Amino acid sequence: MNIRKKVTWTLPPGTNRYAALDLWVPAAEDEEWSDDEIQHVINEVVEAETDAAGLEVLAWYSKTM
């Protein structure tokens, strides 16, 4: 899936990738992302080898406020 959209949200410092997903998903839902798009990002974050890699995935699908 080739997603080019970005979610506007703020990642609190010191957050791991799973806690970050808990914040990112509602932000994506608020911006009317489809369930498939959200699930794709979740899969990428969970499959990342480290927290840092998972957070990089979220950074790709995010724009800073």
Side-chain angles (χ1 to χ4, degrees), residues 22-51:
D22 284 342
L23 301 171
W24 185 88
V25 168
E29 291 171 338
D30 287 346
E31 294 187 16
E32 300 181 1
W33 280 45
S34 72
D35 290 342
D36 288 340
E37 291 170 328
I38 293 170
Q39 188 61 54
H40 177 77
V41 175
I42 290 170
N43 292 345
E44 283 192 48
V45 171
V46 170
E47 292 171 3
E49 294 201 12
T50 64
D51 264 350

